[in-house]
Amino acid sequence: MYFAALLARTEDGWEASDTELDDVETLSDLADLARESAGEDDDTVLVFIEQEDSWFGIVRVDGEDDPRVYVSDAAAASRSSYGELLLTDELLGREPGDDDLDALDLDGTEDGEDGEDEDESPDGVASADAVPHGPVGDARILDDLGIGEKELRSMSDDALGEIADALGAADVLETVR
């Protein structure tokens, strides 16, 4: 079970709307959806995504700027199709499209390797594609809105409610929950 909402800051305050992510396939699609919900082209829109209290994500779209992303627990989010939208190669510090298949020799080792995989965990599972446990992304995503990095990283189970409350948008968010 997941919850997704758009929170747009307008000159009249915050406006919230729930949203379905079934047709959203990429972070770019999600940013376009956020921009469509903005009243003005330069409005700030926050996309809140939460999955069964195991992780939450925030995507911030300011006008035509690239979206900024914060995910509270990348490992938990990676097990969700909605989390995978947010966990881009760039966010995880990977080279885009780097799947390491082009560098494999016929014997199964990478070019220049002797068969020992330094990125392999003791149980034999390769960790090159491992997603880190814990938060990833721009932890300062809400600094100018009054929620600092330390505060964001220490949010409780109802992080989205706490964030909305700090923004003065708890009532509008609650109407779409």
Side-chain angles (χ1 to χ4, degrees):
M1 185 74 181
Y2 79 96
F3 168 74
L6 299 172
L7 199 61
R9 183 172 64 174
T10 67
E11 60 186 41
D12 297 328
W14 291 97
E15 295 178 8
S17 58
D18 62 341
T19 188
E20 286 294 323
L21 301 178
D22 294 338
D23 296 331
V24 176
E25 296 179 8
T26 65
L27 181 57
S28 181
D29 292 344
L30 187 59
D32 290 344
L33 178 68
R35 287 184 187 101
E36 289 171 13
S37 76
E40 299 289 325
D41 288 342
D42 59 346
D43 283 348
T44 295
V45 179
L46 302 175
V47 181
F48 288 164
I49 301 173
E50 179 180 60
Q51 180 112 27
E52 298 175 357
D53 296 328
S54 64
W55 67 272
F56 70 91
I58 303 168
V59 177
R60 180 177 177 159
V61 178
D62 294 301
E64 292 301 316
D65 292 348
D66 288 340
R68 295 166 54 196
V69 179
Y70 175 81
V71 177
S72 66
D73 186 339
S78 71
R79 294 186 291 274
S80 158
S81 60
Y82 301 111
E84 288 179 354
L85 284 173
L86 308 179
L87 298 175
T88 62
D89 288 336
E90 181 181 349
L91 189 73
L92 296 173
R94 297 180 185 156
E95 290 295 319
D98 184 17
D99 59 10
D100 291 330
L101 293 179
D102 295 333
L104 290 179
D105 284 336
L106 293 177
D107 67 356
T109 62
E110 292 184 32
D111 289 336
E113 290 188 357
D114 61 3
E116 292 290 321
D117 190 353
E118 294 174 12
D119 291 334
E120 206 168 271
S121 63
D123 63 358
V125 176
S127 62
D129 289 334
V131 177
H133 289 276
V136 295
D138 185 356
R140 301 185 76 184
I141 193 170
L142 302 173
D143 273 1
D144 64 321
L145 299 174
I147 301 171
E149 177 178 354
K150 185 176 181 181
E151 188 177 2
L152 184 61
R153 289 182 186 263
S154 66
M155 292 282 173
S156 73
D157 289 339
D158 185 27
L160 300 184
E162 290 178 41
I163 292 167
D165 189 41
L167 298 176
D171 292 340
V172 295
L173 182 64
E174 199 56 41
T175 62
V176 298
R177 262 198 163 162

